Amino acid sequence: MKSNEIISRRDTISKEITKYWGIIRAENLVEKSYKRNYDLKALLKKIEELAAERTNMKLYQQCINMGYTSLSQFPANSLFPTIFELSEVNERFVQLGLIKTLDPKLKSKKGKVNLNKSEELTSQYITNLQNALKLRTIELKKKIDEYNNTADLDITKPLMLLVA
Protein backbone atom coordinates (compact mmCIF):
# COMPACT_ATOMS: atom_id res chain seq x y z
CA MET A 1 0.00 0.00 0.00
CA LYS A 2 1.11 3.53 -0.66
CA SER A 3 1.62 5.84 2.30
CA ASN A 4 -1.12 8.22 1.10
CA GLU A 5 -3.59 5.30 0.85
CA ILE A 6 -2.80 4.26 4.41
CA ILE A 7 -3.20 7.81 5.70
CA SER A 8 -6.46 8.21 3.81
CA ARG A 9 -7.86 4.93 5.15
CA ARG A 10 -6.77 5.79 8.72
CA ASP A 11 -8.48 9.18 8.45
CA THR A 12 -11.65 7.61 7.01
CA ILE A 13 -11.72 5.12 9.87
CA SER A 14 -11.30 7.94 12.39
CA LYS A 15 -14.24 9.83 10.88
CA GLU A 16 -16.42 6.70 10.95
CA ILE A 17 -15.56 6.00 14.58
CA THR A 18 -16.29 9.63 15.54
CA LYS A 19 -19.63 9.45 13.70
CA TYR A 20 -20.60 6.23 15.49
CA TRP A 21 -19.72 7.62 18.92
CA GLY A 22 -21.87 10.66 18.13
CA ILE A 23 -24.80 8.44 17.19
CA ILE A 24 -24.42 6.38 20.36
CA ARG A 25 -24.32 9.49 22.55
CA ALA A 26 -27.35 10.98 20.78
CA GLU A 27 -29.52 7.86 20.65
CA ASN A 28 -28.79 6.12 23.93
CA LEU A 29 -30.93 8.26 26.24
CA VAL A 30 -34.05 9.39 24.38
CA GLU A 31 -37.72 10.05 24.90
CA LYS A 32 -39.71 6.81 25.05
CA SER A 33 -41.63 7.77 21.91
CA TYR A 34 -38.40 8.03 19.87
CA LYS A 35 -37.61 5.09 17.61
CA ARG A 36 -33.87 4.52 17.46
CA ASN A 37 -32.31 4.36 14.03
CA TYR A 38 -29.35 2.20 15.04
CA ASP A 39 -28.53 -0.86 17.11
CA LEU A 40 -26.13 0.77 19.56
CA LYS A 41 -24.54 -2.50 20.67
CA ALA A 42 -23.82 -3.31 17.02
CA LEU A 43 -22.23 0.14 16.64
CA LEU A 44 -20.00 -0.55 19.64
CA LYS A 45 -18.89 -3.79 17.98
CA LYS A 46 -18.25 -1.93 14.71
CA ILE A 47 -16.18 0.67 16.58
CA GLU A 48 -14.10 -2.12 18.10
CA GLU A 49 -13.50 -3.62 14.63
CA LEU A 50 -12.61 -0.24 13.15
CA ALA A 51 -10.27 0.48 16.07
CA ALA A 52 -8.38 -2.75 15.31
CA GLU A 53 -8.14 -1.74 11.65
CA ARG A 54 -6.96 1.75 12.60
CA THR A 55 -4.27 0.15 14.79
CA ASN A 56 -3.07 -1.74 11.71
CA MET A 57 -3.07 1.42 9.60
CA LYS A 58 -0.97 3.19 12.23
CA LEU A 59 1.41 0.24 12.26
CA TYR A 60 1.69 0.22 8.46
CA GLN A 61 2.39 3.94 8.47
CA GLN A 62 5.03 3.45 11.16
CA CYS A 63 6.72 0.82 8.98
CA ILE A 64 6.82 3.20 6.02
CA ASN A 65 8.08 6.04 8.21
CA MET A 66 10.90 3.82 9.42
CA GLY A 67 11.92 3.07 5.83
CA TYR A 68 10.61 -0.50 5.66
CA THR A 69 9.25 -1.74 2.35
CA SER A 70 7.71 -4.95 3.71
CA LEU A 71 5.91 -5.90 6.91
CA SER A 72 8.35 -8.79 7.28
CA GLN A 73 11.08 -6.23 8.05
CA PHE A 74 9.23 -5.04 11.14
CA PRO A 75 10.80 -6.50 14.30
CA ALA A 76 8.62 -9.06 16.06
CA ASN A 77 9.53 -7.61 19.45
CA SER A 78 8.50 -4.05 18.54
CA LEU A 79 6.35 -2.23 21.07
CA PHE A 80 4.42 -0.17 18.50
CA PRO A 81 1.46 -2.60 18.16
CA THR A 82 1.00 -2.50 21.94
CA ILE A 83 1.27 1.29 22.07
CA PHE A 84 -1.26 1.73 19.27
CA GLU A 85 -3.68 -0.75 20.86
CA LEU A 86 -3.39 1.01 24.22
CA SER A 87 -4.30 4.28 22.51
CA GLU A 88 -7.45 2.69 21.04
CA VAL A 89 -8.43 1.10 24.36
CA ASN A 90 -8.00 4.42 26.15
CA GLU A 91 -10.16 6.19 23.57
CA ARG A 92 -12.97 3.65 23.92
CA PHE A 93 -12.84 3.95 27.71
CA VAL A 94 -13.17 7.74 27.58
CA GLN A 95 -15.92 7.67 24.93
CA LEU A 96 -17.95 5.18 26.97
CA GLY A 97 -17.80 7.61 29.88
CA LEU A 98 -19.45 10.30 27.73
CA ILE A 99 -22.60 8.26 27.08
CA LYS A 100 -25.59 9.53 29.06
CA THR A 101 -27.77 6.96 30.81
CA LEU A 102 -30.74 6.89 33.12
CA ASP A 103 -29.87 7.57 36.75
CA PRO A 104 -29.92 4.10 38.36
CA LYS A 105 -31.30 5.53 41.64
CA LEU A 106 -34.13 7.29 39.82
CA LYS A 107 -34.80 4.18 37.75
CA SER A 108 -35.11 2.00 40.87
CA LYS A 109 -37.16 4.62 42.72
CA LYS A 110 -39.71 5.38 39.98
CA GLY A 111 -39.45 2.17 37.99
CA LYS A 112 -38.25 2.00 34.42
CA VAL A 113 -41.82 2.02 33.01
CA ASN A 114 -42.69 5.24 34.85
CA LEU A 115 -39.87 7.25 33.29
CA ASN A 116 -40.37 9.30 30.13
CA LYS A 117 -36.96 8.33 28.75
CA SER A 118 -35.43 5.07 27.66
CA GLU A 119 -31.90 3.81 27.20
CA GLU A 120 -30.38 0.99 25.20
CA LEU A 121 -27.01 0.96 26.96
CA THR A 122 -27.51 1.00 30.72
CA SER A 123 -25.01 2.46 33.14
CA GLN A 124 -24.24 -1.09 34.34
CA TYR A 125 -23.61 -2.27 30.78
CA ILE A 126 -21.25 0.65 30.17
CA THR A 127 -19.50 0.08 33.50
CA ASN A 128 -18.95 -3.58 32.57
CA LEU A 129 -17.42 -2.54 29.23
CA GLN A 130 -15.20 0.01 30.97
CA ASN A 131 -14.08 -2.56 33.55
CA ALA A 132 -13.03 -4.93 30.76
CA LEU A 133 -11.12 -2.07 29.12
CA LYS A 134 -9.42 -1.24 32.44
CA LEU A 135 -8.18 -4.83 32.67
CA ARG A 136 -6.89 -4.69 29.08
CA THR A 137 -5.18 -1.36 29.88
CA ILE A 138 -3.42 -2.91 32.87
CA GLU A 139 -2.28 -5.81 30.70
CA LEU A 140 -0.96 -3.55 27.94
CA LYS A 141 0.79 -1.18 30.38
CA LYS A 142 2.44 -4.15 32.07
CA LYS A 143 3.73 -5.32 28.70
CA ILE A 144 5.08 -1.84 27.99
CA ASP A 145 6.71 -1.62 31.43
CA GLU A 146 8.33 -5.03 31.02
CA TYR A 147 9.65 -4.05 27.61
CA ASN A 148 11.00 -0.72 28.85
CA ASN A 149 12.68 -2.37 31.82
CA THR A 150 14.65 -4.72 29.57
CA ALA A 151 15.13 -2.83 26.30
CA ASP A 152 18.32 -0.91 25.67
CA LEU A 153 20.00 0.97 22.83
CA ASP A 154 23.67 1.16 21.93
CA ILE A 155 24.25 4.87 21.35
CA THR A 156 28.02 4.63 20.88
CA LYS A 157 27.67 4.46 17.10
CA PRO A 158 26.04 7.32 15.11
CA LEU A 159 22.82 6.91 13.19
CA MET A 160 23.37 5.74 9.62
CA LEU A 161 21.63 8.80 8.22
CA LEU A 162 23.97 11.13 10.13
CA VAL A 163 27.13 9.39 8.85
CA ALA A 164 26.72 10.45 5.20
Side-chain angles (χ1 to χ4, degrees):
M1 284 182 85
K2 296 279 186 206
S3 181
N4 285 341
E5 294 169 338
I6 293 168
I7 292 168
S8 177
R9 180 61 189 145
R10 183 202 62 209
D11 291 349
T12 298
I13 292 168
S14 294
K15 288 176 186 170
E16 284 182 68
I17 289 172
T18 298
K19 178 180 97 174
Y20 293 152
W21 281 121
I23 291 168
I24 291 169
R25 281 193 303 276
E27 288 205 348
N28 190 55
L29 186 60
V30 295
E31 299 296 322
K32 277 192 175 177
S33 59
Y34 181 80
K35 183 182 176 332
R36 289 181 178 85
N37 295 299
Y38 294 89
D39 176 345
L40 302 187
K41 290 179 181 177
L43 284 182
L44 286 173
K45 181 71 177 153
K46 182 68 176 169
I47 288 169
E48 190 175 339
E49 292 167 3
L50 287 169
E53 186 180 353
R54 182 165 58 181
T55 296
N56 287 336
M57 292 301 118
K58 290 176 181 180
L59 187 59
Y60 300 161
Q61 190 61 45
Q62 184 66 39
C63 287
I64 288 174
N65 289 342
M66 293 178 73
Y68 300 147
T69 56
S70 170
L71 284 178
S72 63
Q73 294 174 295
F74 197 76
N77 67 342
S78 173
L79 200 54
F80 281 109
T82 305
I83 293 168
F84 295 149
E85 183 183 353
L86 180 59
S87 172
E88 294 295 336
V89 169
N90 285 335
E91 179 181 340
R92 285 201 311 275
F93 182 87
V94 168
Q95 290 292 341
L96 285 168
L98 299 175
I99 299 170
K100 292 182 181 171
T101 61
L102 290 170
D103 180 0
K105 291 177 186 174
L106 182 64
K107 194 167 41 172
S108 66
K109 182 180 174 185
K110 286 189 168 188
K112 192 174 178 180
V113 291
N114 295 325
L115 297 174
N116 61 351
K117 294 196 179 231
S118 71
E119 64 188 352
E120 184 173 333
L121 308 174
T122 65
S123 60
Q124 186 59 52
Y125 183 82
I126 290 171
T127 298
N128 290 343
L129 291 176
Q130 285 182 310
N131 287 341
L133 291 172
K134 280 181 194 175
L135 293 175
R136 184 65 181 147
T137 297
I138 291 168
E139 187 181 328
L140 293 169
K141 285 182 176 180
K142 181 178 186 259
K143 189 174 180 180
I144 291 170
D145 288 343
E146 288 172 353
Y147 182 92
N148 287 331
N149 287 331
T150 59
D152 58 2
L153 176 68
D154 178 4
I155 60 171
T156 60
K157 297 176 184 162
L159 293 171
M160 294 295 288
L161 63 98
L162 297 178
V163 174

